[in-house]
Amino acid sequence: MSYLHPLYVDRYVLYAYVGLALLIGARLDALSRTVAVPRALAGGLAVAAVAALLPYSLQLRTPQSRLDDTLAAARAVRELGRPGDGVLFLPARRREPIMSSPEDFRGLRELALARHAIPSGTLHGIELPAPRIRARMLTAGRIVTVNDPPGQPLDDTPQERVKREVLAEHFHRCAVRDVTGMRIVLYGRAGRC
């Protein structure tokens, strides 16, 4: 069914190749017992079947196969941000770069986070209420944001709305970096780029 309409991300079910190899091997073993196919030939066919899947498997492990390049996003944040700048994730689920490369965010202040992922028992942490996010944002001279790529629907939560409103009303865009699956934007107040 997945060949007609993808139901899974391929790399997340890659482990099933082991089962496929075992099934092919078992079938070839049974075939070698009933049709008098030499075991060496059956083994060679099993290896060939798995080897045929190898290029596809290797392609799934390249950066180009990913929907997002979190490491490139983290590098862009490091290049655009300066110590003391604020950082926001628009939407909050865009926290993957800081989770995979926290060192690239060193010195930046998270303006919306109330509790980190592990202590909160969530995947992306818990954000502050919208009024507290607004107050924190207004203390910043510059804010680096990690965003969905252009054209994605906007999350309509009070926190996400207040982030967009404060940026639009009090900041202007200083720099934009597009990476695979994300957009990194540096915002600054007048004269603070």
Side-chain angles (χ1 to χ4, degrees):
M1 182 65 186
S2 287
Y3 287 110
L4 301 175
H5 177 69
L7 298 175
Y8 300 102
V9 175
D10 297 346
R11 68 179 165 271
Y12 297 147
V13 292
L14 205 54
Y15 62 86
Y17 283 174
V18 173
L20 178 61
L22 291 171
L23 286 173
I24 291 170
R27 183 67 186 133
L28 289 173
D29 182 56
L31 187 64
S32 72
R33 293 171 194 252
T34 60
V35 182
V37 174
R39 284 187 178 264
L41 178 60
L45 289 173
V47 169
V50 172
L53 297 172
L54 189 60
Y56 180 67
S57 171
L58 293 176
Q59 185 273 330
L60 288 175
R61 297 171 190 274
T62 65
Q64 295 78 21
S65 72
R66 299 193 51 83
L67 299 175
D68 302 328
D69 188 344
T70 58
L71 297 178
R75 280 192 304 274
V77 168
R78 182 184 67 227
E79 291 165 5
L80 292 175
R82 297 192 299 232
D85 288 349
V87 65
L88 285 175
F89 299 92
L90 290 144
R93 61 184 153 70
R94 276 291 166 195
R95 294 184 51 75
E96 300 97 342
I98 196 170
M99 292 186 288
S100 60
S101 297
E103 65 280 357
D104 288 324
F105 290 78
R106 190 168 293 127
L108 300 180
R109 296 182 302 134
E110 287 199 60
L111 300 174
L113 191 66
R115 291 184 65 210
H116 288 279
I118 293 172
S120 69
T122 64
L123 186 59
H124 297 107
I126 296 174
E127 290 200 334
L128 294 164
R132 298 238 358 247
I133 293 173
R134 174 184 291 280
R136 281 188 174 184
M137 288 177 71
L138 292 174
T139 67
R142 292 170 24 116
I143 298 174
V144 180
T145 64
V146 179
N147 309 270
D148 279 337
Q152 296 296 309
L154 299 175
D155 286 16
D156 193 32
T157 65
Q159 288 92 337
E160 298 306 323
R161 284 194 306 269
V162 80
K163 291 175 195 176
R164 293 190 298 266
E165 290 167 6
V166 171
L167 288 171
E169 293 170 9
H170 300 279
F171 293 83
H172 61 275
R173 282 186 181 194
C174 300
V176 176
R177 297 266 174 89
D178 287 322
V179 298
T180 303
M182 288 182 240
R183 174 172 274 185
I184 313 305
V185 182
L186 171 64
Y187 289 90
R189 291 186 183 255
R192 296 290 301 267
C193 283

